[in-house]
Amino acid sequence: MDINLDYELVSMTYEDHSFCFFIPQIELDEMETASILIVTLAWDDFSPSTFEEALHSLEVSLNQVIFHICSTTDAQKSKCTTAALRKLSLVEDKSISRVYMNTIAPGERGSVGNIMELKESPSSSQFCVRLSATLAVSNNMLDHANELLHSLNESANINAVWASLIVEECSRLGLTYFCVAPGSRSSPLAVAASSHELITCISCFDERSLAFHAVGYARGSHIPAVVITSSGTAVSNLLPAVVEASQDFVPLVLLTADRPPELLDCGANQAIDQVNHFGSFVRFFFNLPPPSDQIPARMVLTTLDSAVHQATSSPYGPVHINCPFREPLESSPIGWMSSCLKGLDFWMTNAEPFTKYIHMGLSQTCIHDHGEMVEVLNLIQRANHGLLLCGAIHTEDEMWAALLFAKHLRWPVVADILSGLRLKKLSTSFPDIERNFIFVDNLDHALLSDSVKGWLEIDLVIQIGSKITSKRICQVLEECAPFSYIMVDKHPFRHDPSHIITHRIQTTIVNFVACLMKATVPRTVCMWGTSLQLLSKMVDWEIQFQINAECSLTEPYVAHVISKALSSESALFLGNSMPIRDADMYGHSWSICSRSVTSVMLNLDIPINLIRVAANRGASGIDGLLSTAIGFAVGCNKKVSFVIGDISLLHDTNGLAILNQRKLRKPMTIFVINNHGGAIFSLLPLADKVEPNIMHQYFYTSHNILIHGLCTAHGIKHLHVKTKAELEEALCVVQHEQMDCLVEIESSIEANSNFHSVLKKFALQTAQHTRRLLSVPFSRGYTGDELYLCRIRKVECLKYRIALSAPPTSASDYDNQKELYREGFILSIILADGSVGFGEVAPLEIHRENLVDAEYQLRFLIHVMEHVDIGGYLSLLKGSFSYWIWNELGILPSSIFPSVRCGLEMAILNAIADAKGSNMLNILHPPINENDKCQSSLEAQICGLIDSNASPTEVANIAATLVEEGFSAIKLKVARRGNPVQDAILIQKVRKKVGGQIIIRADANRKWTYEEAMEFSSLVKDCNLQYIEEPVPNEDDILKFCEESGLPVALDETVDKIQENPLEKLAKFTHPGIIAVVIKPSVIGGFENAALIAQWAHRLGKVAVVSAAFESSISLSAYTLFASYLELLSLSTFEVLDDREVPSVAHGLGTYRWLKEDVAANPLLIGRSPHSGFVGASVADASRLLHDFQVNQNVICNIIAEEQVRRYQLEVEHSSFSWSFEVFETGQKTNDNVLVFLHGFLGTGEDWITIMKTFSGSSRCISFDLPGHGKSVVGCAKDTGEEPLWSMEIIADVLQKLIHQITPAKVTLVGYSMGARIALYMALRFTSKTMGAVLISGSPGLKDKLSRKIRAAKDDSRARSVVAHGLQLFLNSWYAGEMWKSLRSHPHFNRTIASRVQHDDMQSLAKMLSGLSIGRQPFAE
């Protein structure tokens, strides 16, 4: 379709707060009759996009419609379509979330929240389909099939007439889902509903389950379901669902059949008093008279219209119409007077309800016009410690409004599990999202700490949405009162059990947010909110660690992994009791989910997907949950995951009968937590005070019912899981199944209770630890934000070379050298306040990087880190360093070499410690109070190391000497002799020599075969080895060795290989035979990874041994402090686990004996401790060395300093034109190794400066602005009036002249994207000038002639767009493409975009884009 928009007509001027509409009309030619479909684009200043962006979305969306309807040729020729929208095969895509649209009224027939599959229907009237976040198409036309589907005049009797009227009016009101219970008295209604072509009916023999199913449908769709029942107790069975709907404001329409008045109170069968049967739990009740032709039929319609209006008006809720019927109840013909239809002529000719209830569209509340709202705004503006509390939110509009409000306020946000914000998913990695929102997802567990409670000091709470799940949060808010508490909800009722709400605003969340978004509120991020977020993140990290580290399948793990598996196309329904509480406390948020093809097509870059979560929290009962969840799945049209307890499931097994009737519903997965009873009672105080047998019989109601049998009886797929692996497998199965599935998850009441207790204890420890860290005072009078400590002023790097007294035990190439040396780097970070921190980078053969690799990376980091902020929060570890490296440096953490990252973390931690006037240990583990000085007296015991190259007797003598010096433990290198028998003899000799009290360890370094290792183990069983490190090379054989040898094992090289996701890779090594892990921080990538691995070991009762890799006193001092920290961490872990004795650990720092020289002028003192009597390094000595560190200048061989960039202008003449270039250069001019860097389209030469500085130590590096970019200028050398030609050939000629002018030497070209294509062309053409080319994201060109033509045309169009619309608009379109998806997720994306607007010559830029198009590039064979 060619859309000829008259921009003059559609453009408009508007004032602030005005609401603007652009309403095009599209004429559709259907069956030679014309009908009009109205496409409404609604936009105002509350919308997330500008009017121009919304207009663009309309054009793109309509083009998609035409693409589906017409062929491309037809679409280009015609300005109108030739088919109905209802014929489209629109694929459902839930990632297109409605941000804000209020133009289609709630309850509108066929209205949907997202793109829906439109089923074939005989009637096309009254449908609505959303095509994008800002576009919906609706139709309310009437065609011949809807004049009145059932001719009332042909109805058999008056009962059928009234029943038909009721059902038809329901249909017109948008109520098209009927829940029909079997019964004789209700047969007129049941027959009318089931016969109506627009009505979907579902039935169940259990009225209670059926009514809950209706509640679920209304929860999912926000449209009432209609329940039809017979008379008598069938009506009474609806009461539990009516109560739930009433308490939680769920609309519901109840049509209950009844006996006529003459059969009441006379003993007639199945006749009870049904008048006002549900009392105050319904919003409206009407007792219809029995059908009669003496009563105008209009009365039936207006009654129903009134009832539905009451159900769907605030406060929403159930309505009850009692419908007495006299016999005959079937279609026996009995004459009736058609005069009762008088006044329905107009109603019969249209598709509208008889009575329309019109809500006045009043303008949104204005801050300046209402004193009450001014008061609210003043409270917000004065708040210092404001908290945004998001309770249950039921619509996507309200979820997005809440999200926008959270961004607007920049307050801490506590999102309840039912808010839709708790389980938020990112469509990609958008770090800016986290900076714009302060989500506090784990406040519940943080509040276990009294210190956190006392520190909270809230002065204003705004709660949007209804009740909060967390009891602890509610209790703490009550304890913190009085303060201003603003409650925003649609209903007028007093939901305030703590009686602390001071302001109640009755309105929708959307209207409230729209009002306040127009007001200015303080945007400063207060320290209080940031600290609260940090507390939450640390508690969240600890919870996730404990959940994942626990070997067994636990209920918190179930909540965590199920919520993690959710996608934007799914929804979650939670059972009451434990499932909703576990999801609220342990649900996983901020996970990454992939974007859909549709959102890419529409260029929709909504980075957050909100997961809809629902539950029956009106009365919070456990009845009817399964039925409700099934109804919710029908109503929301998503793939629903439902988590329920076993007792709740057994309470509603009749819901399984409804599950089998899969109508208008996607497959759903039911997760049943089967702990064989009511586990929640085990977490209550009464569990400790009541006899176990009473608890089991009267509270847990323990059972042995086979859930598998229930599934078999109802024909439902059943999966039974008992382990984490089985649950993961089940999740994979159900995600690809197109059928309903019940996953039974085996659990235990006692184990569940114990693990919940463990989680709370660890969360409490973490909260208290984080609070102590935030309370550590700064030295030097610093009073800034303790989370963002200081800015890095300077980074320096010194290369050293120190002598060794012997080859390292890991070395193989030192043997023939006369002099032995160890090389590395000293990294120093100087902060703006003068604080200094030192780190060491010294890779060995065991590292994956060598010294040269490390040097290049250090050169890069030196330049990247300057003027970057570091935060005090980094000392918390727990992912903090990885977060900082990515967000502040813009580097993938895994791309930094392990030794470099270790040195970087070491330097930063020491700098933070210096700034706080403390040491590394105290910032990693802050003392409980100022008087707690025990940490300074700690020491790290050291294990002696023996290379074992001598004879067994000589080695035994060396061991005895070490014992005399005070070593409590000795490690012997084995597997270096020809036979494991000789190694066994060595161990036997040493054990005999040193006695039984000394710890002996052996290290095989994976050098034995499995058979050799087993032979060794059989010979040393009586030698009391503490452990053998890495006896075999195969990781699977390690576990086999543990089983068959019985010899304790320690992991070493296995741990060294772990760089990412340590817990996943360590999960297979939980075997109790593996008793220790040896952790080399410089090999595994720093202290953050080391602490994680050590914590995993402690959690499983294993020993964590810190080991050096022959580094100098800087690292030895840092490792001493870190080892002491791990021992304190171990003590905390064992305190929580109660039943384990804390083992003493001798750490692998014995490599200090190999150091003949040291980088420190005064090396670390290591010797026999006067306290323990064993050799060790004290915390006091290590702290002193790092604080007073002085470099031994005699070992420094090179200084890596900041490189200066030389800038200058050069001109080149070519073909009567002058080309002026901005040139950047680093490195020595005399260096013949010349690298020339060519940037990509829209870049500049400055893009390469950091890389150039990195290589300037070994190369002369040059970059410049390509023609049309940056400060390059093209002009006429002679006044010819001609325009220069732009092509790959001409640009290459010009650049070749420029490079020759800079240097006569051969050069290596390094190019990115367009620059890579230029580099490739020049390398092939100017072979005498180029040594080679490095191509990054470059293309050799297109070989296919048609592809070249198409690409050239595209680039010509883009070039015209640059000139016509300007660079900014072009950038928005250019970087919205799929090829830039990874760049958009980069934390420095906005900074990159800002640098791309530094181009002044749009004409030249466009010529470069067109002239150097891939479509015009010579193909490189």
Side-chain angles (χ1 to χ4, degrees), residues 1241 1349-1367 1369-1370 1373-1374 1402-1411 1416:
F1241 179 62
K1349 185 176 181 180
I1350 292 173
R1351 179 56 189 265
K1354 286 183 177 180
D1355 287 335
D1356 289 345
S1357 175
R1358 290 166 177 160
R1360 290 193 294 271
S1361 176
V1362 172
V1363 176
H1365 303 296
L1367 187 56
L1369 193 60
F1370 177 79
S1373 173
W1374 178 259
M1402 294 300 102
Q1403 294 286 347
S1404 297
L1405 193 67
K1407 290 176 182 177
M1408 278 290 282
L1409 177 57
S1410 175
R1416 295 187 173 89

Side-chain angles (χ1 to χ4, degrees), residues 421-667:
L421 308 184
R422 175 67 173 84
L423 303 181
K424 50 204 167 291
K425 309 287 180 182
L426 299 183
S427 56
T428 184
S429 177
F430 274 80
D432 279 344
I433 297 298
E434 287 199 70
R435 284 195 281 266
N436 285 327
F437 300 96
I438 308 176
F439 280 102
V440 186
D441 289 337
N442 293 90
L443 182 62
D444 179 280
H445 274 36
L447 292 175
L448 289 165
S449 167
D450 290 335
S451 64
V452 172
K453 290 181 186 177
W455 164 81
L456 212 52
E457 296 181 354
I458 299 170
D459 58 13
L460 176 60
V461 169
I462 299 178
Q463 179 179 337
I464 54 179
S466 52
K467 292 186 280 189
I468 303 299
T469 302
S470 170
K471 183 178 179 180
R472 187 174 295 110
I473 290 176
C474 294
Q475 289 174 337
V476 170
L477 290 177
E478 185 176 350
E479 293 170 9
C480 291
F483 52 79
S484 295
Y485 195 128
I486 301 170
M487 176 70 181
V488 181
D489 212 339
K490 290 179 286 189
H491 65 80
F493 300 123
R494 181 184 63 164
H495 280 189
D496 181 19
S498 297
H499 308 289
I500 57 175
I501 292 176
T502 61
H503 298 73
R504 178 175 294 279
I505 301 175
Q506 185 183 347
T507 185
T508 66
I509 295 173
V510 170
N511 287 340
F512 175 76
V513 172
C515 174
L516 288 185
M517 288 285 285
K518 295 173 171 55
T520 303
V521 298
R523 294 277 300 180
T524 57
V525 180
C526 68
M527 178 59 208
W528 180 79
T530 310
S531 300
L532 199 57
Q533 184 182 37
L534 182 63
L535 266 168
S536 175
K537 284 185 175 181
M538 292 302 102
V539 171
D540 178 61
W541 189 96
E542 184 67 29
I543 287 173
Q544 289 195 46
F545 169 82
Q546 296 298 337
I547 287 174
N548 288 300
E550 173 62 35
C551 302
S552 61
L553 178 60
T554 65
E555 293 183 26
Y557 178 82
V558 172
H560 181 78
V561 75
I562 290 176
S563 59
K564 188 176 181 179
L566 295 172
S567 69
S568 57
E569 289 80 23
S570 57
L572 179 65
F573 195 91
L574 295 168
N576 286 319
S577 193
M578 287 308 300
I580 189 169
R581 289 171 172 84
D582 279 346
D584 192 49
M585 292 186 291
Y586 309 122
H588 185 271
S589 62
W590 291 119
S591 58
I592 308 298
C593 63
S594 60
R595 299 177 64 212
S596 66
V597 175
T598 307
S599 61
V600 173
M601 290 171 58
L602 296 176
N603 289 330
L604 294 176
D605 217 355
I606 301 173
I608 299 181
N609 288 306
L610 303 179
I611 304 299
R612 190 165 173 196
V613 185
N616 277 355
R617 297 302 284 175
S620 299
I622 65 168
D623 46 349
L625 293 176
L626 174 59
S627 301
T628 308
I630 300 167
F632 177 74
V634 178
C636 71
N637 196 39
K638 291 176 179 280
K639 192 168 184 177
V640 170
S641 293
F642 172 43
V643 186
I644 186 174
D646 52 317
I647 298 296
S648 297
L649 176 73
L650 296 177
H651 208 288
D652 191 27
T653 53
N654 286 340
L656 294 172
I658 301 177
L659 188 67
N660 271 329
Q661 303 177 59
R662 188 169 155 190
K663 293 186 178 181
L664 301 178
R665 177 173 63 77
K666 296 183 178 178

Side-chain angles (χ1 to χ4, degrees), residues 784-1067:
D785 185 337
E786 56 246 12
L787 298 184
Y788 299 94
L789 175 63
C790 207
R791 178 157 292 185
I792 296 175
R793 178 165 57 87
K794 189 177 182 182
V795 183
E796 295 178 345
C797 193
L798 305 176
K799 186 176 182 180
Y800 69 78
R801 194 176 193 226
I802 57 177
L804 300 178
S805 59
T809 57
S810 60
S812 58
D813 56 351
Y814 282 86
D815 299 339
N816 299 322
Q817 295 185 23
K818 293 182 180 179
E819 294 187 64
L820 303 171
Y821 290 96
R822 180 80 164 92
E823 293 181 299
F825 303 92
I826 303 170
L827 182 67
S828 59
I829 293 178
I830 301 98
L831 303 184
D833 65 354
S835 302
V836 183
F838 296 96
E840 181 176 7
V841 178
L844 270 179
E845 294 82 1
I846 58 176
H847 291 79
R848 63 184 174 95
E849 69 275 11
N850 58 35
L851 202 66
V852 175
D853 295 331
E855 180 174 351
Y856 276 117
Q857 199 162 79
L858 283 169
R859 286 180 178 273
F860 175 79
L861 288 172
I862 284 172
H863 307 301
V864 169
M865 288 197 303
E866 283 200 350
H867 310 301
V868 171
D869 291 330
I870 63 171
Y873 66 90
L874 291 174
S875 60
L876 289 166
L877 305 180
K878 298 185 177 181
S880 298
F881 268 106
S882 296
Y883 179 86
W884 178 82
I885 289 168
W886 173 239
N887 285 279
E888 296 298 330
L889 304 186
I891 303 171
L892 284 172
S894 59
S895 67
I896 300 182
F897 293 130
S899 63
V900 175
R901 177 157 176 179
C902 181
L904 175 64
E905 291 184 7
M906 191 186 302
I908 289 176
L909 289 172
N910 284 323
I912 293 173
D914 191 37
K916 292 194 172 188
S918 186
N919 60 40
M920 185 194 292
L921 174 59
N922 284 340
I923 65 168
L924 290 174
H925 195 280
I928 295 175
N929 54 61
E930 293 183 4
N931 299 322
D932 184 11
K933 301 297 183 183
C934 64
Q935 292 189 181
S936 61
S937 62
L938 291 174
E939 61 183 34
Q941 288 188 34
I942 294 177
C943 176
L945 178 63
I946 302 178
D947 204 359
S948 307
N949 289 324
S951 68
T953 301
E954 290 172 326
V955 172
N957 290 332
I958 295 172
T961 302
L962 292 178
V963 171
E964 290 176 4
E965 292 177 11
F967 285 95
S968 62
I970 296 170
K971 183 165 84 170
L972 301 166
K973 290 287 185 176
V974 294
R976 302 188 173 204
R977 301 166 189 270
N979 191 325
V981 175
Q982 297 177 6
D983 287 307
I985 293 171
L986 171 70
I987 298 295
Q988 293 166 356
K989 286 272 190 183
V990 172
R991 171 56 73 197
K992 185 176 181 180
K993 187 74 174 179
V994 302
Q997 301 302 313
I998 300 301
I999 295 172
I1000 297 179
R1001 303 167 178 169
D1003 186 2
N1005 294 117
R1006 294 187 164 192
K1007 293 183 178 179
W1008 278 325
T1009 64
Y1010 183 78
E1011 291 72 20
E1012 289 172 334
M1014 287 301 297
E1015 184 178 8
F1016 172 82
S1017 70
S1018 67
L1019 297 172
V1020 298
K1021 283 187 176 179
D1022 298 329
C1023 293
N1024 192 25
L1025 280 182
Q1026 185 185 24
Y1027 55 71
I1028 171 76
E1029 291 181 26
E1030 301 284 348
V1032 290
N1034 188 295
E1035 291 181 359
D1036 292 330
D1037 283 345
I1038 292 178
L1039 301 176
K1040 184 179 176 183
F1041 179 84
C1042 291
E1043 290 285 351
E1044 297 187 3
S1045 72
L1047 201 64
V1049 170
L1051 302 179
D1052 186 358
E1053 284 83 358
T1054 300
V1055 177
D1056 291 348
K1057 291 183 177 181
I1058 296 175
Q1059 304 295 329
E1060 293 185 87
N1061 304 318
L1063 293 185
E1064 291 181 13
K1065 296 173 183 176
L1066 287 169

Side-chain angles (χ1 to χ4, degrees), residues 652-700:
D652 191 27
T653 53
N654 286 340
L656 294 172
I658 301 177
L659 188 67
N660 271 329
Q661 303 177 59
R662 188 169 155 190
K663 293 186 178 181
L664 301 178
R665 177 173 63 77
K666 296 183 178 178
M668 65 183 294
T669 305
I670 303 166
F671 296 93
V672 181
I673 315 294
N674 188 5
N675 45 43
H676 304 278
I680 192 170
F681 294 105
S682 66
L683 303 180
L684 301 179
L686 66 89
D688 298 325
K689 300 176 181 179
V690 177
E691 291 294 328
N693 61 323
I694 297 177
M695 289 296 299
H696 277 279
Q697 183 171 0
Y698 298 106
F699 292 92
Y700 302 153

